[in-house]
Amino acid sequence: MKALITECFGLGRVPVAPGTAASAAAIVIAFLLHIAGGVIPVILATALSILAGFLCITEIEDDPPHVVIDEVAGQLIAVLPVSITAGTMPVAAQATLWVAAFLLFRLFDIWKPGLIGRAERAGGAAGIMLDDVLAGALSAVILLSIIAGTALIR
């Protein structure tokens, strides 16, 4: 069961770029949850993915490509500001921000600047999860800044 969760029901076994595939799936899931129930289901899915990651990644030291629950958690964190503020902006702006959440998270997850890279080097469940949680948080902060900036312009 742990492998099923850490691999996000097979997404981790995608032969090319499983982390990107998991992030893309997380965006789609977040969008569908948002459409179905607003921000609350997205927040719950985010919390569940973080908890599941920490509980299921127990005997892994490095971050193997097939473990993608961390990408799902980080991507869901990144998209939270978009889900929270979606009702306050035109549809075109919302669509742009959903895409920006994906691109920013992937950028920081791959690049791993500063604290994100240090977190990954911690090893174990903490390192595997925290680098993606931090990449998602940094993406969310940037998105919040963009959203706040565009609100001030209006």
Side-chain angles (χ1 to χ4, degrees):
M1 184 58 134
K2 286 183 180 181
L4 203 58
I5 292 169
T6 60
E7 294 176 7
C8 291
F9 302 92
L11 278 173
R13 297 295 177 177
V14 171
V16 178
T20 300
S23 294
I27 283 284
V28 171
I29 290 165
F31 181 75
L32 293 174
L33 288 171
H34 176 81
I35 295 298
V39 70
I40 298 300
V42 179
I43 291 170
L44 292 173
T46 304
L48 183 61
S49 67
I50 294 168
L51 180 63
F54 276 106
L55 292 176
C56 291
I57 301 171
T58 54
E59 298 167 11
I60 303 170
E61 282 303 312
D62 295 325
D63 192 358
H66 66 274
V67 172
V68 293
I69 187 69
D70 51 329
E71 274 85 7
V72 170
Q75 186 64 74
L76 289 172
I77 292 167
V79 82
L80 281 174
V82 182
S83 181
I84 291 167
T85 61
T88 66
M89 63 188 81
V91 173
Q94 290 177 43
T96 301
L97 289 170
W98 284 93
V99 172
F102 174 77
L103 294 174
L104 283 169
F105 173 71
R106 292 309 301 147
L107 171 70
F108 295 131
D109 184 34
I110 293 166
W111 176 25
K112 300 191 187 315
L115 187 58
I116 297 168
R118 279 184 272 176
E120 181 183 50
R121 290 188 292 277
I128 292 170
M129 287 300 295
L130 284 179
D131 75 305
D132 293 280
V133 166
L134 291 172
L138 180 56
S139 302
V141 166
I142 291 170
L143 288 164
L144 279 171
S145 300
I146 292 168
I147 292 165
T150 56
L152 290 173
I153 294 170
R154 283 188 252 147

